Amino acid sequence: KAGVTQTPRYLIKTRGQQVTLSCSPISGHRSVSWYQQTPGQGLQFLFEYFSETQRNKGNFPGRFSGRQFSNSRSEMNVSTLELGDSALYLCASSREGVRASPLHFGNGTRLTVT
Amino acid sequence: EDQVTQSPEALRLQEGESSSLNCSYTVSGLRGLFWYRQDPGKGPEFLFTLYSAGEEKEKERLKATLTKKESFLHITAPKPEDSATYLCAVQAWGGGSEKLVFGKGTKLTVNP
C-alpha cells in the first residue's frame, strides 16, 4: 500500500512570493492534516480537511490556506511568503473510525524562503 | 490547557544500554496516545497507539506503556539504528472538538 506522498520535496522561494504544496493521502483515508515543523516550535497544526471541508484550523495567519479535492488529495497554499515560513511542511492522513486513528505522515516539503 | 511534555529532550546511550523516554500529559477526555519515530529529513513514522491506562504495546526493542498521566517508551538493548527523535502525541476530546497535541520530542542517540 502506497504511503502519503508529498510534492515537491524541496522548494526555494523569495520573500513575497506564494507557494503551493501537494499531498496524496493513503488510499481509503479521507482525513488530511497539515503541520509545520521547525526546530524551535516542533510540530504545529495548520488545518485538517475531511470530505473536502476544513474541519479544524490551527493558529496560523490567513496567508496559510488549503483545500481538499473529491479524491481526498489536498493542497496547501502560502501567500506573501515571509522568512519565518521556512520550515518542513508535513501532510498526514488518517482513517476515520470509532477509536482514535493514528496519523500517517509523508516525508514533507522542505520550504526555504530567502 | 492541554499539554504534552516529553523528557529528556536528548538522550545519549551506549549500544545495549536500556532506558526509557517519558511523555507526560494533562488533557481531559483522552482518546488515544501515539508514539512516533522521526529520522532526520523525514516525516514521523507511526509506532504505537495506546488507548487506556494499563495498556502495553511492543515492537522489537520498543515497549510503550500508559498510565493515567504519562506514557513511557522503553528501549531494551538499543542499537545505533534506533537513533532518532521520538515524538509523543495525545488525542483528546474537549470543547466540542477533537484535538491532537504533540510533544516536542526526545532526540535519542545510540553510540556503537
Side-chain angles (χ1 to χ4, degrees), chain A residues 9-10 35 37 40-43 45 56 88 90 97-108 110, chain B residues 31-32 34 36 38 41-46 48-49 51-52 55 87 91 97-100 102-104:
Chain A
R9 283 283 280 135
Y10 302 94
Y35 286 82
Q37 188 175 36
Q41 298 297 319
L43 273 162
F45 173 68
N56 280 311
L88 181 66
L90 292 162
V98 175
R99 300 188 100 179
S101 297
L103 296 180
H104 296 271
F105 286 87
N107 281 328
R110 170 74 61 186
Chain B
R31 295 250 292 143
F34 308 101
Y36 290 87
Q38 186 173 22
K42 294 195 170 182
E45 174 192 349
F46 168 67
F48 303 111
T49 307
Y51 292 106
S52 56
E55 193 173 356
L87 296 166
Q91 187 163 349
S97 67
E98 288 221 340
K99 254 195 208 179
L100 183 66
F102 276 87
K104 295 205 168 172

Side-chain angles (χ1 to χ4, degrees), chain B residues 7-74:
Chain B
S7 62
E9 287 185 18
L11 181 63
R12 283 187 176 273
L13 299 174
Q14 287 300 122
E15 185 171 1
E17 180 187 0
S18 301
S19 188
S20 295
L21 313 183
N22 177 265
C23 170
S24 63
Y25 60 92
T26 52
V27 300
S28 53
L30 176 73
R31 295 250 292 143
L33 184 143
F34 308 101
W35 281 98
Y36 290 87
R37 169 199 168 118
Q38 186 173 22
D39 294 299
K42 294 195 170 182
E45 174 192 349
F46 168 67
L47 293 172
F48 303 111
T49 307
L50 300 166
Y51 292 106
S52 56
E55 193 173 356
E56 298 182 351
K57 294 269 177 77
E58 276 188 77
K59 180 180 178 178
E60 295 179 3
R61 296 177 292 282
L62 300 177
K63 179 178 174 180
T65 61
L66 181 64
T67 72
K68 286 190 177 175
K69 292 185 178 181
E70 58 192 347
S71 177
F72 292 93
L73 184 65
H74 308 277

